[in-house]
Amino acid sequence: MPGSVKLRSVKKFGQENVGYEFSDEETNGDYMSKKGKKEESAIRVSFFQLFRFASCREICMMIFGSLCAIVHGSAQPLMLLVFGMLTDTFIEYDIELNELSDPEKVCVNNTIQWRNLTEIALNMTKSCGLLDIEYEMTNFAYYYVGIGAGVFILGYLQISLWITAAARQIQIIRKMYFRKVMRMEIGWFDCTSVGELNTRMSDDINKINDAIADQVGIFIQRFTTFVCGFLMGFAKGWKLTLVIVSVSPLIGVGAGLMALFVAKLTGMELQAYAKAGAVADEVLSSVRTVAAFGGEKKEVERYDRNLISAQRWGIRKGLIMGFFTGYMWFIIFLCYALAFWYGSSLVVDTQEYSPGTLLQVFFGVLIAALSLGQASPCLEAFAAGRGAATIIFETIEREPEIDCLSEAGYKLDKVKGDLEFHNVTFHYPSRPEVKILEQLNLQVTSGETTAFVGPSGAGKSTAIQLIQRFYDPKEGMVTLDGHDIRGLNIQWLRSLIGIVEQEPVLFATSIAENIRYGRPGVSNDDIITAAKEANAYNFIMDLPQKFDTLVGEGGGQMSGGQKQRIAIARALVRNPRILLLDMATSALDNESEAVVQEALDKVRMGRTTISIAHRLSTIKNADVIVGFEHGRAVERGKHDELLDRKGVYFTLVTLQSQGDKALNQKARQEMEEAESSVPDAERKSLNRAGSYRASLRASVHQRSRSQLSNVVPELSVAIAGELGVPQEFQGMSGLPDDDSEEVEPAPVTRILKYNAPEWPYMLFGSFGAAVNGGVNPVYSLLFSQILATFSMPDPVEQRREINGICLFFVVVGLVSFFTQMLQGYAFSKSGELLTRRLRCLGFQAMLGKEISWFDDHRNSPGALTTRLATDASQVQGATGSQIGMIVNSLTNIGVAIIISFYFSWKLTLVILCFLPFLALSGGFQAKMLTGFAKQDKEALEAAGQISGEALNNIRTIAGLGKERNFVEMFEAQLEAPYQAALKKANVYGACYGFAQCVVFMANSASYRFGGYLVYREGLHFSFVFRVISAIVTSGTALGRASSYTPDYAKAKISAARFFQLLDHIPKISVYSNEGDKWDNFKGDIEFIDCKFTYPSRPDIQVLNGLSVSVRPGQTLAFVGSSGCGKSTSVQLLERFYDPNNGRVLIDGHESTRVNVAFLRSKIGIVSQEPILFDCSIAENIRYGDNQRDLSMNDVIAAAKKAQLHDFVMSLPEKYDTNVGSQGSQLSRGQKQRIAIARAIIRDPKILLLDEATSALDTESEKTVQEALDKAREGRTCIVIAHRLSTIQNSDIIAVMSRGYVIEKGTHDYLMSLKGAYYKLVTTGAPIS
């Protein structure tokens, strides 16, 4: 029996230690925020503080669970009492048999006597014939069954109560954490990356869960076993106990050190992975930029570099775990040797103990020590949980500096809307060294429109953020109607303000819902009114699903102008007192701009409006214009006054309105006349005319009658376009929902193929594992051999036998030490190398996908980074350590069964009946857990999506005062995973109980049958012990292998997902060398009848037969209202997509046949919202050409061409200045110029400028425009722009509408046509 006990423990011991698989933790629990926290310890939460959110009910559950665990823990030592008596019974019976085997002796009157000697004096007094061995064994069997049943019930209660209590607390922690994060001030988000927050929401809270769930119950159970075991030892035989105890600190120290090292190394590993994860996230978020500049290989290398350190830590962890496991086994075997040697002398020489007592004492202490060892992995989980809790609890406790959900603060009864800045000085918390506002003094009078103008980076947007109270000024104050806004209620203050930003953020729901975010409980009529006021109504009604159209993540399915108008509608629906327009029209083309501008002019009436703009058209009619420079307001006044002052404003204006003043003047007069001459009724009827372009309609009534005739052909064309959507698309209102794709688990052979280069490691590892597997059965052999010696008659031989066995124990221990170390190191090495290789391959595969693959919502950057982080590290579970486990278990069982059959095949067969149960108990547990893990993950993913969206768009949410809604949505999503966790508690509890009690049942049957064999068939009793302990230990080992199946199944699923990624063949492959390349690349481009729809929106035809061509060296300008396919045509040229019909020819070669990398290397692109990487300015510029190494001089030359050099030299760190994630540390104009330098350094043959200057103020625009003009020389250039100044001198201007070109030619030619272009130029807005 003892084997069973002892080794059941050892099994766990080995399992938790050898197999510490931190599969789920590796993502990136960046324990310490990056800056300066390193000195503080990472753990600042005591263990009991983890339970601070427990209610009375949970506390009762935990207390009752702990009581069950305590009783459960005492079951094993209790069993030893039974076991000791059982052994004594067997040995007594054997001695009696030995005596009677002497032909001289005979049993008379229940005493053994010599046959032929009559003298009483010489008679032996040993009793005989009293022992009915079968009856005794039956009794013992009952004991065992009783203990087993108790263990089942206790195990169930202990586990299920703890898990239930933990699930409830975790639910509370999740809610509190998210609630608190949503209340933080914006400055906190500037300093904390969103990725890190998402990681904490998922991984770190799961770690807390591990620390307060079943692990606690198991820890208490093992600790009780430890105490009871020692008590038993001291009660039954204190001498031997003291001897054994003297050695056991060595085991404890080993376990402690191991836990310590592993925790430390895991922390290091996670930190190293966090860096790589950040790289992956950044690259995947800006995959278009990476593709355009051919940076795939560079990024894969950068990612790989960050993986190396993580791999190093992982290998160290494996080695250290191997070392300590080996060390522990070594000490345990030494302990056996010592105990049996000393114990046997107490039994044989001084006869103080019976053999049974020896076993009780020895196993009591051993079980105690082992339980302590097994408890160490629990401590590990507690430490991880405390580490994770540190930051989470600190966040929960942190009081936000500006609490957006607080009820405090005044709400004024009447708001006039006077705003004033008094001596405001401010710098962003994330960049304390750069002063943005310095002593700003400024008044904004109520009811007036005030325009802020000035170069980019002068602090205009910052002033607006201070009004919204996203930040508080460092000095000075901002007042509303004379009240410091810090004294006002924030939600109320923000509810007065409507803001339209430059890059509006839409949420991933329908258009109507997006508008409704403006004000809760708003009726549909209000939504429609707001949409009409924002000139959005018509384009919305054109969409197939009207107001229920989904806008996609971040509004990705809408064009810039459409997003802008939805955002304006959202601001208007609030009916705000104060309207803040931060470049609200910069992203629009002129036609939409005129429309939107008109809308804004309508709604500005009677509201305090602050408008930041770079275009004069938007500013001219403001009541007051304030000029900003270097964080101060340097001038204010009306348009004409400021022109006379010849200050900041004057320079901006003169730059902007060069050539076409007269033209605009004339056009404006004509329009005013036209306006008065179109009778009202006609205007109305025109307004109603059904389905053609909203913007067309808006401009129609601004044109004189003479021009109305021109509208007619356009009208018919537009309607034809409307019908041009292929019929089969009409039914599909979106993508089929194929989220629930099932992956077939990957075949192991394929996983191993990826691990093939490490075969020597795996070979050595397997050898080590095989030897380790053989140790258990050898142990049972030695152990039963010792019992056999106790019934030997000859003392001298007995002594010799015992010494030999003890020596053998020492040898086994030494071997075990080396093989454990070998196994630990070899497998961790092969596993870490595999993880790294897979991560690299996966990342490379992702970057090689065509762009439309990223449009699929399942492949959002967040999902992909998680996949790299978790899937790759889980695959490890199917190779290295998994092979080790399998080899280990197989040799274990193999050797055990051989030994058993050799000594007693009958008994072996009986016990083998229990083997399936032993294995099943492990497998059962495993199966249940994997089933749940998947549901849990999926359920939490929904919540994760909400939290991710909320954190990414926190400014917008704060501006709209919608934090509460998001918190509620998040909490609603948590309900399902919580219910699942409660279900899981019961199942897991039952499995645990079953697993714990099977051993007892197996023992009861085997010893009963063993007694029968000893009695009836004369089997030697030591064989009974030998067979039972060999098989029971190996059975539990089998269970251990099967308990690895969760990792294994997870690994196979992860691998399958990974292989899916690797096997998916991109339609447009970057890595392939196929396709044409040619030497004298001229840059001759031709679009022939291109038709195109985005794969993610099959029902909207974007290009509808686009035909246009550019000769080498010419400049082609696309103009047209937003959403007409201008940017799409550029993406076809870059081969982000291929046209559905028609062709794109480059130098006469069809684009689909050209080598992708070659083509992209000839193209430089500057897009509207340039994406920069989180590295230095120089690195960002170098990114332009990833084919060669660029010297600093090249970088500076490019920077000078882009008018960037002087600005960079003014920064403290010059070219080494870090631009922040996505370039957040720079203003738009600065980012734009870096992007231009990046395009120039490529020295491309084709230059694509997608709105390259729209985001700039006039001064920057002037410099950038010069830079672009320089850059265009001798290159084919395609410009998309909304401003005339950028287009005028193009060789060809193509006017687009609904996906094809309606007219093309030079500026003058098109003006003389008096067609669409002429109207565009002359509509409302003077195109600067």
Side-chain angles (χ1 to χ4, degrees), residues 91 100 185 217 466 495 510 514 579 600 637 687 689 780 820 866 885 962 1023 1026 1039 1086 1093 1136 1141 1255 1319:
I91 287 181
L100 291 177
E185 73 276 10
L466 290 179
S495 70
S510 66
N514 264 301
L579 193 56
L600 290 174
N687 253 342
S780 58
Q820 285 284 1
T866 329
M885 283 310 307
K962 277 285 161 284
F1023 292 177
R1026 194 164 295 176
E1086 198 168 356
T1093 52
F1136 287 164
N1141 308 55
K1319 285 171 225 161

Side-chain angles (χ1 to χ4, degrees), residues 90 248 630 702 884:
F90 265 136
S248 55
H630 302 311
Q702 303 170 346

Side-chain angles (χ1 to χ4, degrees), residues 201 397 541 627 740-741:
M201 300 275 328
E397 282 158 25
M541 298 316 278
S740 50
E741 52 170 0

Side-chain angles (χ1 to χ4, degrees), residues 905-915 1002 1005-1006 1009-1010 1013:
W905 60 271
K906 287 185 181 167
L907 185 54
T908 308
L909 288 177
V910 169
I911 309 180
L912 281 182
C913 300
F914 280 94
L915 202 63
S1006 333
F1009 184 63
L1013 289 179

Side-chain angles (χ1 to χ4, degrees), residues 1062-1107:
L1062 298 177
D1063 295 342
H1064 170 260
I1065 298 184
K1067 302 185 188 66
I1068 302 173
S1069 167
V1070 193
Y1071 297 127
S1072 83
N1073 283 322
E1074 287 161 28
D1076 308 345
K1077 301 181 182 178
W1078 58 95
D1079 294 337
N1080 48 353
F1081 189 95
K1082 294 198 282 294
D1084 184 345
I1085 303 167
E1086 198 168 356
F1087 289 90
I1088 305 176
D1089 195 28
C1090 292
K1091 292 201 169 86
F1092 179 71
T1093 52
Y1094 282 105
S1096 54
R1097 285 180 290 164
D1099 47 351
I1100 299 173
Q1101 187 86 19
V1102 185
L1103 293 182
N1104 226 332
L1106 169 73
S1107 298

Side-chain angles (χ1 to χ4, degrees), residues 970-1223:
F970 180 73
E971 293 181 355
Q973 287 294 345
L974 287 178
E975 205 38 50
Y978 168 61
Q979 295 304 335
L982 296 185
K983 272 210 297 261
K984 170 174 153 188
N986 292 317
V987 179
Y988 185 26
C991 294
Y992 184 75
F994 174 69
Q996 296 287 324
C997 80
V998 166
V999 177
F1000 293 84
M1001 302 304 178
N1003 281 325
S1004 77
S1006 333
Y1007 283 114
R1008 170 70 192 82
F1009 184 63
Y1012 165 84
L1013 289 179
V1014 169
Y1015 183 64
R1016 293 288 159 87
E1017 308 204 350
L1019 182 71
H1020 190 271
F1021 81 97
S1022 71
F1023 292 177
V1024 175
F1025 284 99
R1026 194 164 295 176
V1027 172
I1028 293 179
S1029 63
I1031 291 210
V1032 170
T1033 57
S1034 60
T1036 38
L1038 183 70
R1040 173 179 29 162
S1042 61
S1043 78
Y1044 256 74
T1045 43
D1047 279 356
Y1048 186 52
K1050 250 197 295 196
K1052 285 186 14 183
I1053 297 277
S1054 294
R1057 283 216 296 265
F1058 228 87
F1059 294 148
Q1060 228 178 13
L1061 180 71
L1062 298 177
D1063 295 342
H1064 170 260
I1065 298 184
K1067 302 185 188 66
I1068 302 173
S1069 167
V1070 193
Y1071 297 127
S1072 83
N1073 283 322
E1074 287 161 28
D1076 308 345
K1077 301 181 182 178
W1078 58 95
D1079 294 337
N1080 48 353
F1081 189 95
K1082 294 198 282 294
D1084 184 345
I1085 303 167
E1086 198 168 356
F1087 289 90
I1088 305 176
D1089 195 28
C1090 292
K1091 292 201 169 86
F1092 179 71
T1093 52
Y1094 282 105
S1096 54
R1097 285 180 290 164
D1099 47 351
I1100 299 173
Q1101 187 86 19
V1102 185
L1103 293 182
N1104 226 332
L1106 169 73
S1107 298
V1108 68
S1109 61
V1110 203
R1111 303 272 77 78
Q1114 283 189 332
T1115 298
L1116 162 69
F1118 279 124
V1119 294
S1121 52
S1122 52
C1124 69
K1126 303 187 298 288
S1127 301
T1128 308
S1129 54
V1130 169
Q1131 302 206 39
L1132 290 183
L1133 185 58
E1134 277 270 13
R1135 275 201 80 193
F1136 287 164
Y1137 302 95
D1138 281 337
N1140 305 355
N1141 308 55
R1143 298 178 299 167
V1144 182
L1145 298 183
I1146 292 128
D1147 283 6
H1149 298 254
E1150 200 170 318
S1151 67
T1152 47
R1153 300 228 180 96
V1154 181
N1155 179 288
V1156 182
F1158 169 75
L1159 174 61
R1160 287 183 188 162
S1161 71
K1162 300 294 181 201
I1163 302 179
I1165 186 166
V1166 182
S1167 52
Q1168 185 175 359
E1169 295 166 21
I1171 289 183
L1172 302 182
F1173 294 97
D1174 191 354
C1175 51
S1176 70
I1177 293 180
E1179 287 293 306
N1180 266 303
I1181 296 178
R1182 280 206 182 99
Y1183 202 86
D1185 195 341
N1186 292 313
Q1187 313 302 318
R1188 52 199 178 112
D1189 279 336
L1190 299 168
S1191 68
M1192 201 61 209
N1193 295 338
D1194 298 339
V1195 172
I1196 292 173
K1200 281 187 173 145
K1201 280 190 195 145
Q1203 312 281 353
L1204 174 73
H1205 185 65
D1206 303 337
F1207 145 69
V1208 176
M1209 296 318 275
S1210 69
L1211 294 170
E1213 295 171 23
K1214 310 213 168 32
Y1215 280 96
D1216 295 333
T1217 311
N1218 196 325
V1219 301
S1221 80
Q1222 297 185 342

